Amino acid sequence: MNAKNLENSINAALPPTPYYVLDEAAIVANMKIIARLCELSGAKALLALKCFATWGVFDVMQPYLHGTTSSSLNEVRLGYETFGNNDDASSSDKKETHAYSVAYSADEIPEVLNYADKIIFNSISQLNAFKAQAAAQNIPVGLRLNPKTSNSSFLIADPARPFSRLGEHDKEKIAAVLSDITGVMIHNNCENDSFEAFSESLADIESRFGDILAQLEWVSLGGGIHFIAPDYPLEKLADRLKVFSETYGVQVYLEPGEASIHGAGTLVTTVLDTMHNQKNLAVVDASIEAHMLDLLIYRESAPIAAINHTAADIAPIGNPAEAAPSKANAESADHTIIYGRSCLAGDIFGEYALPSNLQIGDQIAFGNAAGYTMVKKNWFNGVNMPAIVIRRLDGSIDIQREFDYQDYKASLS
Ligand SMILES: Cc1ncc(COP(=O)(O)O)c(C=O)c1O
Ligand SMILES: NCCCCNCC[C@H](N)C(=O)O
């Protein structure tokens, strides 16, 4: 949300803070990049619901994507019900619904197969346990491969980490089950913005598994490729994917999560209190642990998209995609630490060099609040759950969903 939009939001009928704002125009801008990549490469793109599943904006995403992929029974059902793969969709519009889980329980399989167009098993033992049921319903089956190399700067998000459970790596064992599968999924990138690194890693996969790939119909290369960065060589990526697809005679799938919604969401909060303890401190009416948990897990700060000093002017900090917390000088007293209101001592949105001091009542919009945030929100401390506000393509504002005490209570018993 830029400063002007924040001002407009304040003038519109909006719920009390905290609330997430999703900007459909920003989502569509990402969608157009994905669609271009698909058009140039022949790849198909599936939204990774684990990253973003706020289905109130799926109408604007559907025209550009080929479907969804999932990590659980609930996600595959959501994809089926909300993303154009249901009995109402005409066959030309019908989207694909891919099912994957690190481990399915036996009782989930029949329902998963009701929704799935393809089911991808994480291990050979899961494949052996459930392949007959998939075959009985003519659902194509895939297996996740682990190439044992990756592009991830975070160990916690590294699928090729030592002793990883994510996929099979032993070529002989994989070759032995080839007649049971028509495709594979390989996800080994995380926020990788280097085409060269991606390409080298794909070359490594080819050298390890090339003869296996040549016997398949489809290969999903997962998510984690940051091809929406303004300087990313999209054409080179498209060309690389096209050649890969032609070399092995496979349909390539991509599973963009973060790339689909990067820069499209903000979390709008209000300053409830200010204090001073060697540095300026502010406490907002949201919580990093409850409302932007991914940042806490990855030890990152929330970018500030805009600040509204209540009575005075709107102070833009930058746009959500670019705004970053200051690389704060630990000694600097004029930097402000923005805290969440939960009891966690380290409930910190970030430390920032701000144009002016924060006051009680100021509104702060944190950027990049769509991916891995809304799907992880929780009721820690009973902190108010942010409402979900959508800025539609025509500029109108919908308050899509508000949460109250009954939702909190119902989530616990
Ligand atoms: C199998 C798989 N596909 C796709 C994704 C989406 O990744 P990203 O949101 O980084 O694009 C993930 C992330 O966990 C994943 O594990
Ligand atoms: N901004 C910090 C990194 C966030 C990574 N989140 C995505 C996880 C990823 N898709 C994975 O686990 O593979």
Side-chain angles (χ1 to χ4, degrees):
M1 174 184 286
N2 63 31
K4 193 69 206 161
N5 286 338
L6 179 64
E7 188 178 22
N8 290 342
S9 301
I10 289 158
N11 294 333
L14 280 167
T17 61
Y19 53 87
Y20 297 100
V21 182
L22 290 173
D23 185 350
E24 287 190 340
I27 294 174
V28 168
N30 292 345
M31 291 294 106
K32 287 185 173 166
I33 296 173
I34 296 176
R36 180 165 152 73
L37 177 62
C38 290
E39 198 182 306
L40 293 174
S41 66
K44 294 185 176 179
L46 309 171
L47 173 66
L49 294 174
K50 71 185 70 186
C51 169
F52 181 76
T54 310
W55 48 276
V57 295
F58 281 0
D59 279 356
V60 298
M61 304 177 86
Q62 267 190 51
Y64 302 94
L65 300 177
H66 297 86
T68 56
T69 188
S70 55
S71 21
S72 63
L73 168 57
N74 284 332
E75 280 189 1
V76 75
R77 178 175 177 176
L78 187 77
Y80 176 84
E81 288 182 355
T82 63
F83 212 89
N85 183 352
N86 54 48
D87 297 338
D88 301 334
S90 76
S91 56
S92 63
D93 293 341
K94 197 170 173 302
K95 303 296 177 181
E96 289 188 45
T97 306
H98 286 206
Y100 164 76
S101 170
V102 168
Y104 287 114
S105 63
D107 61 309
E108 291 174 328
I109 293 294
E111 199 181 341
V112 170
L113 293 173
N114 282 343
Y115 307 124
D117 293 300
K118 286 187 175 62
I119 184 163
I120 299 159
F121 294 109
N122 182 65
S123 68
I124 291 174
S125 75
Q126 287 248 309
L127 171 72
N128 286 334
F130 305 125
K131 66 186 180 192
Q133 285 169 270
Q137 293 192 45
N138 290 321
I139 309 284
V141 169
L143 179 67
R144 180 168 183 169
L145 302 192
N146 186 331
K148 297 201 113 182
T149 56
S150 61
N151 296 295
S152 171
S153 28
F154 304 96
L155 181 61
I156 194 174
D158 184 357
R161 59 186 281 143
F163 319 113
S164 174
R165 74 197 183 300
L166 300 174
E168 294 285 356
H169 62 274
D170 185 321
K171 207 177 145 188
E172 271 184 36
K173 289 184 182 162
I174 297 162
V177 298
L178 263 184
S179 59
D180 295 325
I181 61 175
T182 56
V184 292
M185 184 267 278
I186 303 167
H187 168 77
N188 69 335
N189 289 283
C190 179
E191 295 186 346
N192 176 13
D193 60 4
S194 160
F195 167 71
E196 284 70 28
F198 170 79
S199 182
E200 277 170 32
S201 159
L202 191 58
D204 179 61
I205 289 168
E206 292 178 273
S207 70
R208 272 170 211 253
F209 297 116
D211 47 342
I212 284 178
L213 302 180
Q215 298 176 63
L216 299 171
E217 294 170 21
W218 54 273
V219 174
S220 173
L221 294 172
I225 313 170
H226 200 62
F227 54 75
I228 52 141
D231 54 353
Y232 194 95
L234 199 75
E235 286 74 16
K236 278 192 188 173
L237 175 63
D239 192 50
R240 183 73 174 89
L241 296 176
K242 193 163 191 268
V243 171
F244 176 88
S245 161
E246 288 166 358
T247 304
Y248 302 100
V250 291
Q251 171 64 56
V252 169
Y253 288 92
L254 299 172
E255 303 179 357
E258 183 62 35
S260 300
I261 42 67
H262 190 77
T266 49
L267 175 65
V268 182
T269 66
T270 299
V271 176
L272 296 179
D273 201 3
T274 58
M275 298 168 72
H276 195 88
N277 182 358
Q278 295 181 286
K279 296 185 181 190
N280 296 323
L281 316 178
V283 180
V284 296
D285 59 357
S287 158
I288 194 108
E289 177 154 38
H291 309 137
M292 294 185 86
L293 182 59
D294 214 44
L295 295 174
L296 193 62
I297 292 171
Y298 288 92
R299 303 270 191 273
E300 292 183 338
S301 297
I304 293 182
I307 296 179
N308 170 32
H309 293 286
T310 28
D313 57 316
I314 305 283
I317 300 295
N319 77 46
E322 290 162 5
S326 60
K327 291 272 176 270
N329 171 353
E331 302 302 317
S332 173
D334 58 358
H335 285 176
T336 301
I337 301 177
I338 302 182
Y339 281 97
R341 73 188 301 192
S342 85
C343 63
L344 180 73
D347 190 338
I348 295 172
F349 281 87
E351 179 169 340
Y352 310 88
L354 299 175
S356 54
N357 284 347
L358 291 172
Q359 310 289 337
I360 292 170
D362 288 353
Q363 285 197 354
I364 304 171
F366 295 101
N368 261 342
Y372 300 102
T373 52
M374 301 177 84
V375 289
K376 293 189 179 188
K377 58 197 171 62
N378 63 71
W379 284 103
F380 182 55
N381 269 214
V383 176
N384 290 337
M385 184 62 73
I388 299 174
V389 173
I390 301 176
R391 181 176 302 103
R392 299 293 179 190
L393 284 179
D394 65 5
S396 62
I397 299 278
D398 279 349
I399 300 173
Q400 186 77 5
R401 180 82 158 90
E402 290 180 89
F403 303 89
D404 60 16
Y405 170 74
Q406 296 305 334
D407 296 302
Y408 164 64
K409 189 177 176 190
S411 76
L412 288 168
S413 296

